[in-house]
Amino acid sequence: MDLGALFARKIFIPIYERRWGLYDGALSRALAESQFDPPEVILEQQLEQFRGLVGHVIEANPFYRERYAGLDAGDLRTPEDFAGLPLLSKDDIRQHGEALISDGCVPQRMFHKRTGGSTGVPVHVYWDHPAHVFKRAIVRRHDAWAGFRPGQKQAALWGDTEKRYPLKERIYKALCERTIYLDTLRMDDAYLAQFVERVRRFRPEVLIGHAHSLFFFSRFLVDQGDDDLQFSGIISTAETLVPAEREFIEDRFGPVLFDRYGCEEVSLIASECPAHDGLHTSAEGMYVEVLGGDATTPGRIVVTDLINRGMPLVRYEVGDLATVAAGPCSCGRGLPRLARVFGRSTDILYAPDGRKVSGVSILDTFVIHVPGLRQAQIVQDRLDHLVLRVVRDTGFGDESVACLRAAVQEVFGPEMYHDIEYVDSIAPTSRGKYQFSICEIDPPVGAGA
């Protein structure tokens, strides 16, 4: 028995969450039951929440008050009615951020989310307190599908693992999160081998990480002939896990892989359940549309955050594509499903010494913090050379350039050369998605495929 997990779940976590107003016991119990409601009941509840949200933003939100002038929320009854509302774009958020804050809400008292996603476009979003608590509860419910419960040990393949946290958060992480990290900005064989030994000593039950980083970690274990390291569940997130990578990971670890889809702006959107047949949406707090898509044709993902009224995102186009899963899931949950998410893709890059570097980690750790950067793309055309394509915005200047150059040196080392190429726009892929990092070279000897 893991006494640390028991103490964390029963004592440390409840005390911490009650102290900071984050306790979600009743909410978590309600979500455990509502996931099995019939689809028609879930849809009716979503439409009622959506209607209430539209009424709220007309009354109390500067941006939507103007956008929905003359609209009566009571007239919105069917999914088709709601589909007639205008879409919200990333540019809308970037250009009208302050107007999207509802009356009586102050950004300094809300939870700030800053992201570029895989598009490289910085976006600032704020959650009110009820939304923050709700999203934590949703994540915990979907964690449970992968066999992970609060307080259990986990290993994470992530970027920005050296970030400094306030004292209260460091205490929480030590007593409650119980996580060891592999920094995906460093993926050389020696570092991976050290991490494997840490995993053996720590004995985490669950592994979570960026999709491609999970694949490379699995590949390393296979190349090293390591066939005994196991996890009860593996959660893949942040990027699209392509079928070949999924097959490789499951060949190594077994059918314990749970794909997950979300974004910083709204948190978790959909997750795979134990039936491994598509991804159930977080329908109690998220209304998800797939425009122009069906079971075979990918459509554009549009989400409405039904909970966050502090900075409402109504019919927000995320920038990804998905197909829709038809029919009921064998798990018995009535939550709608996405069959597969497309378009979110970042290549693995390489340092001159052969280290693998996760593209999404560079984005999450460095690029979104560069001032005045509207959009960016990294292209590796030689082992020792990068092209940084930059779309400048107001505020881009010498400091921005210095930040970019420092990031290249910190991540790739002093032997990496780079050029900054200023462009008016960055062309999307054939699927309409902006790919943040592109690797045009073959893996260096010793780096693996």
Side-chain angles (χ1 to χ4, degrees):
M1 176 182 293
D2 184 351
L3 293 179
L6 184 63
F7 278 112
R9 186 163 56 252
K10 298 294 185 180
I11 300 175
F12 300 139
I13 293 176
I15 289 175
Y16 177 90
E17 292 183 342
R18 283 190 170 96
R19 169 64 180 84
W20 299 105
L22 299 173
Y23 186 68
D24 62 9
L27 175 59
S28 291
R29 290 189 291 273
L31 290 172
E33 295 180 2
S34 61
Q35 62 185 318
F36 293 105
D37 285 344
E40 61 273 15
V41 171
I42 292 174
L43 176 59
E44 185 56 38
Q45 291 173 342
Q46 285 185 302
L47 297 181
E48 183 178 347
Q49 287 176 281
F50 205 152
R51 195 160 39 247
L53 176 64
V54 172
H56 164 76
V57 299
I58 291 174
E59 192 73 26
N61 188 276
F63 176 83
Y64 293 102
R65 198 156 45 224
E66 180 177 345
R67 172 168 279 204
Y68 296 161
L71 177 68
D72 185 343
D75 293 336
L76 302 174
R77 295 291 177 185
T78 68
E80 292 73 24
D81 293 335
F82 291 101
L85 297 175
L87 296 176
L88 181 74
S89 68
K90 292 182 186 293
D91 275 345
D92 286 331
I93 298 175
R94 294 177 66 251
Q95 295 170 12
H96 305 283
E98 291 187 7
L100 278 160
I101 303 294
S102 295
D103 297 342
C105 295
V106 180
Q108 291 80 2
R109 297 179 182 175
M110 300 167 72
F111 295 86
H112 178 220
K113 297 292 176 177
R114 178 177 182 171
T115 176
S118 53
T119 68
V121 181
V123 173
H124 297 267
V125 171
Y126 296 87
W127 298 346
D128 60 27
H129 189 81
H132 181 62
V133 174
F134 187 93
K135 293 174 191 301
R136 285 168 58 95
I138 282 285
V139 169
R140 283 183 176 173
R141 181 182 71 179
H142 293 219
D143 282 345
W145 298 354
F148 180 69
R149 301 179 67 191
Q152 288 180 313
K153 294 179 180 179
Q154 64 176 329
L157 312 184
W158 224 249
D160 201 14
T161 61
E162 302 301 321
K163 186 164 66 172
R164 297 288 298 173
Y165 293 94
L167 178 60
K168 69 173 185 178
E169 291 189 40
R170 294 204 300 273
I171 294 173
Y172 178 82
K173 288 178 177 297
L175 296 178
C176 305
E177 285 196 352
R178 307 179 73 210
T179 304
I180 58 171
Y181 292 92
L182 179 143
D183 187 346
T184 51
L185 295 173
R186 302 170 52 197
M187 293 178 66
D188 58 274
D189 287 355
Y191 182 61
L192 286 167
Q194 292 174 10
F195 183 71
V196 169
E197 291 307 310
R198 291 178 62 205
V199 170
R200 292 190 192 285
R201 294 192 300 270
F202 192 62
R203 301 176 65 183
E205 298 182 57
V206 170
L207 175 67
I208 184 171
H210 301 147
H212 295 322
S213 298
L214 290 172
F215 166 70
F216 274 99
F217 180 64
S218 303
R219 184 62 176 265
F220 173 78
L221 293 177
V222 171
D223 289 345
Q224 297 300 310
D226 186 317
D227 57 5
D228 65 324
L229 197 68
Q230 295 293 333
F231 301 94
S232 60
I234 299 176
I235 299 172
S236 170
T237 186
E239 307 162 285
T240 298
L241 189 64
V242 299
E245 292 176 339
R246 182 185 187 107
E247 182 178 351
F248 189 93
I249 294 171
E250 291 189 325
D251 282 346
R252 170 58 182 80
F253 290 104
V256 296
L257 183 59
F258 293 79
D259 207 359
R260 177 172 292 181
Y261 170 62
C263 63
E264 285 289 330
E265 298 94 304
V266 298
S267 188
L268 198 155
I269 296 173
S271 289
E272 194 174 334
C273 74
H276 302 287
D277 185 16
L279 292 82
H280 289 281
T281 65
S282 308
E284 297 92 341
M286 199 80 56
Y287 186 77
V288 182
E289 304 169 70
V290 181
L291 303 186
D294 53 30
T296 57
T297 304
R300 294 146 54 206
I301 298 175
V302 172
V303 300
T304 296
D305 188 331
L306 300 172
I307 306 298
N308 184 17
R309 297 194 170 193
M311 184 177 179
L313 301 184
V314 182
R315 303 202 73 222
Y316 172 53
E317 185 162 6
V318 178
D320 296 316
L321 305 175
T323 50
V324 179
C329 182
S330 62
C331 73
R333 292 174 176 85
L335 303 169
R337 286 176 297 148
L338 303 176
R340 185 180 168 194
V341 177
F342 298 84
R344 183 168 291 192
S345 178
T346 55
D347 278 345
I348 290 288
L349 305 175
Y350 298 92
D353 60 8
R355 286 182 295 112
K356 306 181 193 77
V357 177
S358 167
V360 74
S361 295
I362 302 170
L363 178 65
D364 289 345
T365 307
F366 295 106
V367 174
I368 64 172
H369 302 297
V370 175
L373 187 67
R374 180 177 177 84
Q375 198 166 16
Q377 186 178 67
I378 300 178
V379 180
Q380 183 165 24
D381 54 4
R382 299 196 312 265
L383 182 59
D384 64 348
H385 185 261
L386 303 172
V387 176
L388 309 181
R389 293 176 181 154
V390 169
V391 180
R392 290 171 287 188
D393 203 349
T394 303
F396 190 94
D398 291 343
E399 180 188 355
S400 309
V401 173
C403 286
L404 283 172
R405 297 196 187 284
V408 171
Q409 294 294 302
E410 182 170 347
V411 174
F412 293 94
E415 296 181 355
M416 178 64 83
Y417 297 94
H418 68 278
D419 290 302
I420 299 177
E421 181 181 301
Y422 298 111
V423 297
D424 294 330
S425 63
I426 294 173
T429 66
S430 59
R431 293 188 182 275
K433 184 68 181 177
Y434 292 94
Q435 188 167 343
F436 170 71
S437 60
I438 299 173
C439 185
E440 296 180 342
I441 66 171
D442 293 328
V445 176

